[in-house]
């Protein structure tokens, strides 16, 4: 008799596993160093609950939605056309998603506290009157969301609101109202009874996200999860959360600026190079269709350390203002600081300036900033960073009407860049008269159709000679 009791107790005991909080690697036992990412002391113990959420997700999906059954297909039997996407009625959001929201997909929207994640999602959902939407809030009351909706000024008769933290109750409501789109705000506040830990823990986030993924894939209803950002700048919760979802979008920006950037980090249905730009206003977020005019300082005549570059992020060209300050080091070790630009790339460009051009900056502090709180990864920014640094170093402003674009190599050469015609057209549209471009981009290029004066260069010295004379 005792044997059967002990055996039953063992069978009822939950299984445990260990998950790396940095990369999501799983292990049946605890290890000090992660074999995948090499980090120490990152493995956390989680309890693996019984798979009861599979039944709940399937039940919620079957209520009003046809379950999708998989079968083996030959390659020629599969249609090559894409599924029709859901238009979000927001050009910036659609661009970042790759053309709209894919049915049955699960999207993770992350961002720092107070950056505007809830405002963006609520504003977008209120502008979708043709879809039956269920907005699940685990952080705010219905009264708070009502006040925010009135401030935004949107209206949608098909918009339904639920304030709930229990995953089981959420699935019950989904089965009842049969929504066509679901928003969870936020995934860290949702918990399931099958896991004995507080909401937001690794086990809770993992189980809840997996159950919502099963629901989205079996029902074809897209789910948008809102997630928090840790102090290190990564999405809170286990790294496996980013592996589970189809798309990871980060909403970023400086709270001291009015601009917000919507950037795609992972996208199974589109490019990860796209970004959307918004302006934070009192009545919500406004789409910025022409960011060049907002990112450029209108009165920059006579100011040294400012250079304009024609950058491209995704399919969008825009002009960016690069600011630099070079001063004598007040302390023993010179400082190198970059905001919105890669710090290691800045160190490389300063080394090229010293070795190839002959400017001695070893005993000087160098600060570089991309105006407007923007973070740009385009390599064509190199030439403008070098020009801004030298402009500040000699305290000589760059003439108004000049802009540039070019990648700088370690030997001091100006390397060719992609999509040069779009960059030139954007600069000409905004009234620039002269532009420095790589000489290699002139091959097979007709410059007669542009009124802007083009200055092709091969080396950094030629570019600086054209700018400063």
């Amino acid at each position: 008799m005792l044997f059967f009791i002990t055996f039953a107790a063992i069978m009822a005991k939950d299984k445990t596993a260990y998950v790396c909080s940095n990369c999501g690697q799983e292990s049946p036992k605890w290890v000090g160093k992660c074999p995948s990412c090499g980090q120490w002391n990152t493995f956390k113990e989680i309890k693996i609950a019984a798979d009861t959420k599979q039944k709940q997700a399937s039940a919620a999906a079957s209520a009003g939605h046809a379950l999708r059954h998989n079968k083996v297909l030959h390659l020629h039997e599969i249609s090559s056309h894409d599924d029709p996407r859901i238009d979000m009625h927001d050009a910036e959001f659609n661009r970042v998603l790759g053309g709209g929201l894919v049915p049955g997909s699960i999207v993770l929207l992350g961002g720092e506290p107070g950056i505007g994640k809830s405002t963006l999602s609520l504003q977008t959902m209120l502008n979708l009157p043709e879809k039956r939407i269920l907005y699940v809030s685990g952080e705010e009351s219905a009264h708070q969301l009502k006040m925010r909706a009135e401030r935004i000024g949107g209206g949608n008769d098909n918009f339904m609101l639920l304030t709930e933290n229990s995953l089981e109750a959420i699935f019950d409501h989904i089965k009842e109202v049969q929504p066509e789109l679901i928003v969870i705000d936020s995934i860290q506040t949702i918990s399931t009874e099958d896991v004995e830990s507080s909401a937001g823990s690794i086990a809770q986030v993992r189980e809840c996200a997996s159950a919502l993924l099963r629901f989205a894939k079996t029902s074809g209803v897209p789910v948008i999860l809102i997630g928090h950002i840790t102090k290190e700048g990564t999405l809170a919760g286990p790294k496996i959360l980013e592996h589970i979802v189809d798309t990871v979008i980060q909403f970023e920006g400086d709270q001291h600026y009015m601009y917000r950037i919507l950037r795609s980090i992972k996208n199974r249905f589109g490019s990860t190079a796209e970004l959307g730009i918004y302006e934070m206003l009192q009545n919500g977020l406004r789409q910025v269709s022409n960011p060049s005019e907002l990112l450029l300082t209108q009165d920059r005549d006579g100011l040294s350390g400012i250079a304009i570059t024609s950058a491209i992020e995704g399919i969008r060209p825009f002009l960016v203002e690069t600011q630099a300050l070079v001063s004598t080091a007040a302390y023993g070790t010179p400082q190198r600081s970059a905001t919105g630009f890669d710090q290691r790339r800045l160190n490389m460009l300063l080394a090229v300036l010293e070795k190839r051009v002959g400017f001695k900056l070893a005993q000087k502090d160098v600060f570089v900033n991309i105006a407007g709180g923007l973070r740009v990864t385009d390599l064509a920014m190199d030439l403008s960073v070098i020009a801004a640094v030298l402009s500040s170093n000699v305290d000589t402003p760059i003439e108004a009407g000049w802009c540039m674009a070019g990648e700088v190599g370690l030997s001091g050469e100006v390397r060719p860049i992609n999509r040069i015609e779009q960059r030139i057209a954007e600069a000409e549209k905004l009234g620039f008269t002269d532009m420095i471009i790589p000489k290699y981009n002139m091959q097979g290029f007709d410059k007669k159709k542009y009124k802007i004066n083009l200055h092709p260069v091969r080396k950094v010295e030629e570019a600086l000679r054209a700018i400063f004379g």
Side-chain angles (χ1 to χ4, degrees):
M1 183 68 180
L2 181 61
F3 169 76
F4 288 109
I5 295 175
T6 307
F7 180 75
I10 293 174
M11 291 298 293
K13 186 179 179 182
D14 289 335
K15 297 180 180 179
T16 60
Y18 294 87
V19 177
C20 175
S21 59
N22 185 56
C23 68
Q25 175 74 25
E26 293 189 30
S27 173
K29 62 180 181 179
W30 185 88
V31 290
K33 182 180 180 181
C34 177
S36 177
C37 64
Q39 296 294 318
W40 288 89
N41 298 326
T42 55
F43 273 87
K44 308 293 183 184
E45 181 182 5
I46 66 169
K47 291 183 178 181
I48 303 176
D51 197 13
T52 57
K53 291 293 164 291
Q54 174 74 38
K55 297 179 181 178
Q56 290 185 341
S58 299
S62 61
H65 302 285
L67 284 173
R68 299 181 175 182
H69 298 285
N70 298 327
K71 63 178 182 177
V72 179
L73 295 172
H74 291 283
L75 189 61
H76 64 83
E77 297 176 339
I78 304 172
S79 174
S80 60
H81 72 275
D82 294 332
D83 290 334
R85 293 176 181 252
I86 300 172
D87 184 8
M88 307 300 287
H89 300 299
D90 185 326
E92 304 296 310
F93 211 154
N94 283 338
R95 179 188 294 110
V96 176
L97 288 172
L101 189 61
V102 176
S105 65
I106 183 164
V107 178
L108 177 61
L109 173 63
E112 296 178 356
I115 205 69
K117 304 183 299 295
S118 300
T119 301
L120 174 65
S121 57
L122 183 61
Q123 177 177 305
T124 306
M125 295 305 112
L126 289 174
N127 292 328
L128 284 172
E130 69 275 10
K131 293 292 181 183
R132 194 164 56 255
I133 296 166
L134 178 62
Y135 191 101
V136 181
S137 176
E139 297 180 340
E140 297 178 286
S141 65
H143 180 65
Q144 289 175 302
L145 288 166
K146 172 66 175 177
M147 291 185 354
R148 178 179 294 170
E150 290 178 347
R151 177 170 55 85
I152 294 173
N156 185 353
D157 292 336
N158 285 328
F159 182 84
M160 295 171 287
L161 181 62
L162 172 65
T163 56
E164 184 61 66
N165 297 102
S166 170
L167 184 65
E168 290 78 11
I170 291 172
F171 277 132
D172 290 339
H173 287 287
I174 289 174
K175 190 189 303 182
E176 179 183 348
V177 301
Q178 301 176 17
E180 297 174 289
L181 199 156
I182 299 171
V183 179
I184 306 292
D185 184 12
S186 65
I187 186 62
Q188 280 84 13
T189 60
I190 307 301
S191 61
T192 173
E193 298 173 356
D194 295 335
V195 178
E196 296 180 359
S197 60
S198 59
S201 64
I202 291 178
Q204 287 283 6
V205 171
R206 171 193 169 111
E207 289 297 322
C208 294
S210 299
L212 290 166
L213 172 70
R214 286 191 289 267
F215 166 77
K217 296 305 179 185
T218 53
S219 67
V221 176
V223 178
I224 298 177
L225 307 178
I226 298 178
H228 295 304
I229 293 291
T230 63
K231 60 182 179 181
E232 289 85 12
T234 58
L235 282 160
K239 197 71 176 178
I240 197 171
L241 179 61
E242 298 180 43
H243 301 325
I244 287 175
V245 300
D246 297 312
T247 305
V248 180
I249 298 175
Q250 192 150 327
F251 201 44
E252 58 190 38
D254 193 333
Q255 294 188 6
H256 302 290
Y257 290 94
M258 55 185 170
Y259 308 120
R260 299 288 185 268
I261 310 298
L262 189 65
R263 191 185 301 272
S264 175
I265 300 175
K266 169 191 173 183
N267 194 351
R268 289 174 178 161
F269 311 110
S271 171
T272 56
E274 299 297 342
L275 59 82
I277 301 180
Y278 294 87
E279 183 181 8
M280 178 66 81
L281 302 175
Q282 184 66 28
N283 58 348
L285 293 159
R286 183 183 72 86
Q287 303 174 43
V288 178
S289 57
N290 186 11
S292 299
E293 297 179 355
L294 292 176
L295 296 173
L296 297 179
T297 303
Q298 300 301 321
D299 185 16
R300 54 182 179 275
D301 294 341
L303 300 177
S304 63
I306 295 179
I308 309 299
T309 187
S310 183
I312 283 185
E313 290 285 334
I315 61 172
R316 160 183 285 184
F318 53 89
L319 269 68
V320 184
E321 181 178 308
T322 306
Q323 302 173 344
L325 176 63
V326 180
S327 61
T328 305
Y331 304 100
T333 305
Q335 298 184 63
R336 303 284 189 261
S337 176
T339 304
F341 189 75
D342 188 6
Q343 174 83 42
R344 293 172 296 181
R345 189 114 192 134
L346 173 62
N347 294 333
M348 186 205 79
L349 294 175
L350 294 178
V352 170
L353 268 180
E354 188 153 339
K355 178 73 174 179
R356 305 297 181 186
V357 189
F359 282 87
K360 304 300 180 183
L361 301 171
Q363 300 301 319
K364 294 189 176 182
D365 294 336
V366 179
F367 305 93
V368 171
N369 176 50
I370 307 301
L374 197 65
R375 180 169 59 87
V376 184
T377 57
D378 190 2
L379 295 178
M381 295 283 298
D382 291 353
L383 209 52
S384 66
V385 170
I386 284 182
V389 168
L390 286 187
S391 172
S392 177
N393 186 43
V394 298
D395 201 16
T396 301
I398 298 174
E399 290 185 25
W402 281 70
C403 67
M404 60 207 72
E407 179 188 351
V408 176
L410 290 177
S411 59
E413 81 278 13
V414 180
R415 299 175 56 82
I417 53 178
N418 61 345
R419 298 162 68 179
I420 187 67
E421 296 191 16
Q422 284 183 271
R423 301 175 192 266
I424 297 172
E426 181 72 13
E428 185 178 355
K429 184 178 73 175
L430 290 175
F432 284 83
T433 58
D434 296 84
M435 183 173 180
I436 298 175
I437 62 173
K439 189 173 183 178
Y440 298 102
N441 282 117
M442 296 298 293
Q443 299 177 0
F445 177 71
D446 183 17
K447 64 178 182 180
K448 294 180 181 179
K449 59 182 178 180
Y450 298 106
K451 297 179 181 178
I452 189 171
N453 297 320
L454 300 177
H455 303 269
V457 296
R458 278 185 62 247
K459 295 184 178 181
V460 175
E461 300 96 311
E462 299 177 23
L464 299 178
R465 200 177 301 119
I467 296 172
F468 299 105

